[in-house]
């Protein structure tokens, strides 16, 4: 990756977080591709191999786009808000890919549903508080919309044979499952975010202190250079 201009440790920290998301997404796309190829043969007889492969390819393509945007932002030294928008865009796009995979593997019965909880926890660590809460609510909204569409039979329920199943036509079962899911996502987001905000505040203080030390060191070097010049000559014009 291209290094950012000096004396911008906060932007560098945000850029490193964006890079971490991009690296994590390569592994996620590989996992989806492997699961879509192995699942139909060994684990999930009803899994649509082609549909899951399409999702994996889409993840690779939009990850290439995010990698390009992050590299360009490093060169142009964008603001903290711009890096936050890039992170939010990544989380929203990942949420869209994950809801497709959840639909393809059983909806509320999908074994991939807990990954939304992990996703919300990561968002609470990497995003500002307001953005992370909005992400958690968007996650609940996505899953709720999928459950409503399957309940109305607008989308087929692709339950995996042999696994625990929530009947998509049973309003009580759907409501209880969705309620527990919503509480889990929001509480996990809040708890992880509370800890992350404390760590992030200390990180900002440390970065600010590092910046102050670098400025003080630059002043000391300047004074040292002036002192050497004064000691080396008595010519007033050279000293000034």
């Amino acid at each position: 990756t291209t290094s950012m201009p000096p004396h911008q440790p906060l932007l560098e920290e945000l850029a490193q977080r964006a890079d971490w998301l991009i690296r994590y997404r390569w592994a996620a796309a590989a996992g989806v591709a492997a699961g879509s190829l192995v699942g139909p043969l060994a684990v999930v007889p009803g899994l649509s191999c082609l549909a899951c492969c399409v999702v994996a390819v889409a993840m690779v393509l939009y990850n290439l786009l995010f990698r390009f945007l992050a590299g360009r932002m490093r060169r142009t030294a964008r603001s903290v808000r711009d890096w936050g928008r890039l992170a939010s865009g990544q989380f929203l796009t990942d949420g869209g890919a994950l809801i497709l995979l959840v639909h393809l593997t059983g909806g509320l019965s999908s074994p991939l549903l807990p990954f939304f909880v992990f996703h919300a926890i990561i968002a609470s660590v990497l995003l500002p508080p307001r953005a992370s809460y909005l992400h958690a609510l968007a996650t609940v909204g996505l899953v709720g919309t999928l459950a409503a569409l399957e309940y109305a039979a607008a989308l087929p329920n692709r339950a995996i044979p042999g696994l625990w199943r929530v009947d998509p036509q049973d309003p009580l079962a759907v409501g209880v499952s969705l309620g527990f899911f919503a509480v889990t996502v929001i509480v996990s987001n809040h708890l992880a975010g509370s800890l992350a905000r404390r760590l992030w505040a200390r990180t900002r203080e440390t970065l600010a202190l590092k910046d102050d030390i670098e400025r003080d060191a630059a002043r000391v070097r300047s004074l040292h250079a002036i002192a050497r010049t004064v000691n080396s000559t008595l010519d007033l014009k050279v000293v000034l």
Side-chain angles (χ1 to χ4, degrees), residues 4-17:
M4 299 183 69
H7 309 302
Q8 298 191 29
L10 178 57
L11 293 181
E12 179 62 30
E13 173 68 19
L14 295 173
Q16 290 176 1
R17 294 184 178 200

Side-chain angles (χ1 to χ4, degrees), residues 129-190:
R130 182 180 178 183
S132 69
Y133 282 124
L134 290 176
H135 171 78
L137 293 175
T139 294
V140 175
L142 276 175
V143 176
T145 300
L146 175 62
L149 291 174
E150 291 186 354
Y151 176 77
L155 288 176
N157 179 259
R158 302 173 181 270
I160 298 175
L163 294 184
W164 175 79
R165 180 174 182 267
V166 176
D167 185 355
Q169 304 301 320
D170 184 348
L172 180 60
V174 170
V176 170
S177 298
L178 189 58
F180 274 109
F181 172 78
V183 170
T184 302
V185 167
I186 293 172
V187 171
S188 299
N189 178 277
H190 174 72

Side-chain angles (χ1 to χ4, degrees), residues 24-47:
Y24 154 81
R25 195 173 294 109
W26 293 128
V32 171
S36 64
L37 295 174
V38 175
L41 300 177
V43 182
V44 188
L47 182 64

Side-chain angles (χ1 to χ4, degrees), residues 71-120:
R72 188 174 68 176
M73 289 174 66
R74 275 180 171 270
R75 292 190 294 271
T76 55
R78 295 300 184 94
S79 67
V80 172
R81 179 175 295 181
D82 289 334
W83 284 106
R85 288 173 178 169
L86 178 64
S88 294
Q90 292 188 72
F91 279 109
L92 290 174
T93 310
D94 287 336
L98 187 53
I99 195 65
L100 288 175
L101 292 172
V102 167
H103 167 60
L104 292 171
T105 54
L108 288 179
S109 306
S110 171
L112 300 181
L113 196 62
F115 281 95
F116 271 117
V117 179
F118 304 148
H119 206 241

